[in-house]
Coordinates of all heavy atoms in Angstrom, one line a residue:
V44 N -10.2 137.0 52.6 CA -9.8 135.9 53.3 C -11.0 135.1 53.5 O -12.1 135.5 53.9 CB -9.3 136.3 54.7 CG1 -8.9 135.1 55.5 CG2 -8.3 137.3 54.6
C45 N -10.9 133.8 52.9 CA -12.1 132.9 52.8 C -11.7 131.4 52.9 O -10.6 131.1 53.0 CB -12.8 133.0 51.5 SG -11.7 132.8 50.0
D46 N -12.7 130.6 53.0 CA -12.6 129.1 53.0 C -12.4 128.6 51.6 O -12.3 129.5 50.7 CB -13.7 128.4 53.8 CG -15.1 128.7 53.2 OD1 -15.2 129.2 52.1 OD2 -16.1 128.5 53.8
G47 N -12.6 127.3 51.4 CA -12.3 126.8 50.1 C -13.7 126.8 49.3 O -13.6 126.1 48.3
Y48 N -14.7 127.4 49.6 CA -15.9 127.5 48.9 C -15.7 127.8 47.4 O -15.2 129.0 47.2 CB -17.0 128.2 49.6 CG -18.2 128.2 49.0 CD1 -18.9 127.1 48.8 CD2 -18.9 129.4 48.5 CE1 -20.3 126.9 48.2 CE2 -20.1 129.3 47.9 CZ -20.8 128.1 47.8 OH -22.0 128.0 47.2
G49 N -16.2 127.2 46.5 CA -15.9 127.3 45.1 C -16.4 128.7 44.4 O -15.9 129.1 43.4
A50 N -17.3 129.4 45.2 CA -17.8 130.8 44.6 C -16.7 131.8 44.6 O -16.6 132.6 43.7 CB -18.9 131.2 45.4
Y51 N -15.8 131.7 45.4 CA -14.7 132.7 45.6 C -13.7 132.5 44.4 O -13.4 133.5 43.9 CB -14.0 132.6 46.9 CG -14.9 133.0 48.0 CD1 -15.3 131.9 48.9 CD2 -15.6 134.2 48.1 CE1 -16.2 132.2 50.0 CE2 -16.5 134.5 49.3 CZ -16.8 133.5 50.2 OH -17.6 133.7 51.2
P52 N -13.2 131.3 44.1 CA -12.2 131.2 43.0 C -13.0 131.6 41.6 O -12.3 132.3 40.8 CB -11.7 129.8 43.1 CG -12.2 129.2 44.3 CD -13.2 130.1 45.0
S53 N -14.3 131.2 41.6 CA -15.1 131.5 40.3 C -15.1 133.0 40.2 O -14.9 133.5 39.0 CB -16.4 130.9 40.4 OG -16.4 129.6 40.4
L54 N -15.5 133.8 41.2 CA -15.6 135.1 41.1 C -14.1 135.8 40.9 O -14.2 136.7 39.9 CB -16.1 135.8 42.4 CG -16.3 137.2 42.5 CD1 -17.3 137.7 41.3 CD2 -16.9 137.7 43.8
A55 N -13.2 135.4 41.5 CA -11.9 135.9 41.3 C -11.4 135.6 39.9 O -10.8 136.5 39.2 CB -10.9 135.2 42.3
A56 N -11.6 134.4 39.2 CA -11.2 134.1 37.9 C -12.1 135.1 36.9 O -11.5 135.4 35.9 CB -11.5 132.7 37.5
K57 N -13.4 135.2 37.1 CA -14.2 136.0 36.3 C -13.6 137.5 36.3 O -13.6 138.1 35.3 CB -15.6 136.0 36.8 CG -16.6 136.9 36.1 CD -18.0 136.9 36.6 CE -18.9 137.9 35.8 NZ -20.0 138.2 36.6
R58 N -13.4 138.0 37.4 CA -12.8 139.4 37.6 C -11.5 139.5 36.9 O -11.3 140.4 36.2 CB -12.7 139.7 38.9 CG -14.0 140.1 39.5 CD -13.9 140.9 40.9 NE -15.2 141.1 41.4 CZ -15.2 141.8 42.6 NH1 -14.3 142.2 43.2 NH2 -16.5 142.1 43.1
S59 N -10.7 138.4 37.0 CA -9.3 138.4 36.3 C -9.6 138.4 34.7 O -8.9 139.2 34.0 CB -8.6 137.1 36.6 OG -7.2 137.4 36.8
R60 N -10.5 137.6 34.3 CA -10.8 137.6 32.8 C -11.3 139.0 32.4 O -10.8 139.4 31.4 CB -11.8 136.5 32.5 CG -11.3 135.1 32.6 CD -12.2 134.2 32.0 NE -13.6 134.2 32.6 CZ -14.0 133.4 33.6 NH1 -13.1 132.7 34.3 NH2 -15.1 133.6 34.1
E61 N -12.2 139.6 33.0 CA -12.8 140.8 32.7 C -11.7 141.8 32.8 O -11.6 142.8 31.9 CB -13.8 141.3 33.6 CG -15.1 140.5 33.4 CD -16.2 140.7 34.5 OE1 -16.0 141.4 35.5 OE2 -17.3 140.2 34.3
A62 N -10.8 141.8 33.7 CA -9.7 142.9 33.7 C -8.8 142.7 32.5 O -8.4 143.6 32.0 CB -8.9 142.9 35.1
A63 N -8.5 141.5 32.1 CA -7.5 141.2 31.1 C -8.3 141.7 29.8 O -7.6 142.0 28.8 CB -7.3 139.6 30.9
A64 N -9.6 141.6 29.7 CA -10.3 141.9 28.5 C -10.5 143.5 28.5 O -11.0 144.0 27.6 CB -11.5 141.3 28.3
S65 N -10.1 144.2 29.5 CA -10.2 145.5 29.7 C -11.6 146.1 29.6 O -11.8 147.1 29.0 CB -9.3 146.3 28.7 OG -8.0 146.0 28.9
R66 N -12.5 145.4 30.2 CA -13.9 145.9 30.2 C -14.3 146.7 31.2 O -15.5 147.3 31.3 CB -14.9 144.6 30.2 CG -14.7 143.7 29.0 CD -15.9 142.7 29.2 NE -15.5 141.5 28.5 CZ -15.9 140.3 28.7 NH1 -16.8 140.1 29.6 NH2 -15.6 139.3 28.0
G67 N -13.3 147.1 32.1 CA -13.7 148.0 33.3 C -14.3 147.0 34.4 O -14.2 145.8 34.3
G68 N -15.1 147.7 35.1 CA -15.7 147.0 36.3 C -14.7 146.8 37.5 O -13.7 147.3 37.5
P69 N -15.1 146.0 38.3 CA -14.2 145.7 39.5 C -12.8 145.2 39.1 O -12.8 144.4 38.2 CB -14.9 144.6 40.4 CG -16.3 144.6 39.8 CD -16.3 145.1 38.5
G70 N -11.8 145.4 39.9 CA -10.5 145.0 39.6 C -10.2 143.8 40.3 O -11.2 143.0 40.7

Side-chain angles (χ1 to χ4, degrees):
V44 182
C45 58
D46 60 12
Y48 185 59
Y51 300 111
S53 294
L54 179 60
K57 178 183 175 200
R58 287 192 178 181
S59 218
R60 287 190 305 272
E61 288 173 353
S65 299
R66 289 190 210 153

